[in-house]
Amino acid sequence: MKFLLPELSYQFDALEPHIDAETMKIHLTKHHQGYTDKLNKAIEGTDLENSSIEEILSKVSHHPAAVRNNAGGFYNHSIFWKILSPNGGDQSIEGSGMKDPIIAKFGSLDSFKEQFTKTALSRFGSGWAWLCMDEPEGSLFITSTPNQDNPLMDVVDKNGIPILGLDVWEHAYYLHYQNRRADYVDAFFKIINWPAVNEYHKKASENAVLV
Ligand code: MN3
């Protein structure tokens, strides 16, 4: 198996009450595992077996839909787990290295949250909201993608390197929040692991691979 399901650095119940243990367990062991297995199956015996996930994503328009959907699903969730932490939230941005870039771009953390929320809530159906680094300018921007697409793919309007992502598929929140996506987005801000976002920001600046 080329691509492996990552291990969480916290327990399934660690993010409660913001994300419940049952949702975390199903999300990782069923959904993310499913994308990972189907990605491995889709590339089996093809040239893509020798490609990095970034290479696959950057030329995804040339590949079958099964590669696009499952490479995206594999990558997006790998980022998502990393930028969550029971010790996250507003206080974790202090000293993380992300406070200055956020304020420089959005004016304040609250203003970032407002814009990110608007993007997450206006994504119709299933998809993701992202904070990305523009290349080569290095500035930050917020965007959204449908399904399991992401900003590294050659099929999106605006490319960028994702440094923070929020899964807004119903499977990410429906057990606990039902149709209340806005409450889920609010809760997400309380568990953002800003030092981990900063690590991705640094890697993006150095053109290093994220996952
Ligand atoms: Mn998901």
Side-chain angles (χ1 to χ4, degrees), residues 76-77 80 127-130 143-145 147-148 165-169:
N76 298 346
H77 291 86
F80 186 49
W128 291 75
W130 303 101
T143 189
S144 156
T145 52
N147 306 315
Q148 294 296 354
L166 175 62
D167 188 342
V168 295
W169 283 57

Side-chain angles (χ1 to χ4, degrees), residues 35-180:
Y35 297 123
T36 307
D37 292 346
K38 287 177 195 160
L39 169 61
N40 285 323
K41 195 167 182 317
I43 63 170
E44 200 177 357
T46 76
D47 291 348
L48 297 181
E49 275 190 316
N50 303 312
S51 302
S52 69
I53 189 70
E54 286 83 5
E55 287 167 342
I56 293 174
L57 296 172
S58 69
K59 291 176 187 153
V60 87
S61 67
H62 302 272
H63 309 318
V67 173
R68 175 172 171 173
N69 294 334
N70 295 300
F74 168 76
Y75 185 91
N76 298 346
H77 291 86
S78 299
I79 297 253
F80 186 49
W81 310 131
K82 278 271 177 60
I83 57 97
L84 299 176
S85 167
N87 305 313
D90 288 2
Q91 65 280 6
S92 80
I93 203 170
E94 300 295 336
S96 71
M98 280 310 294
K99 195 173 178 180
D100 288 350
I102 288 285
I103 288 174
K105 177 64 190 192
F106 302 102
S108 68
L109 181 56
D110 282 347
S111 164
F112 158 75
K113 288 185 193 173
E114 205 175 293
Q115 290 182 46
F116 191 89
T117 299
K118 208 169 145 193
T119 301
L121 297 186
S122 55
R123 164 52 51 199
F124 181 75
S126 299
W128 291 75
W130 303 101
L131 175 65
C132 297
M133 201 194 81
D134 206 340
E135 242 192 330
E137 291 164 36
S139 62
L140 300 177
F141 67 97
I142 292 171
T143 189
S144 156
T145 52
N147 306 315
Q148 294 296 354
D149 288 354
N150 74 43
L152 292 175
M153 291 182 173
D154 62 346
V155 295
V156 300
D157 295 336
K158 184 169 168 54
N159 281 117
I161 303 174
I163 62 170
L164 177 156
L166 175 62
D167 188 342
V168 295
W169 283 57
E170 284 187 345
H171 69 228
Y173 61 88
Y174 209 85
L175 277 182
H176 185 68
Y177 294 97
Q178 291 83 46
N179 62 329
R180 291 172 283 117

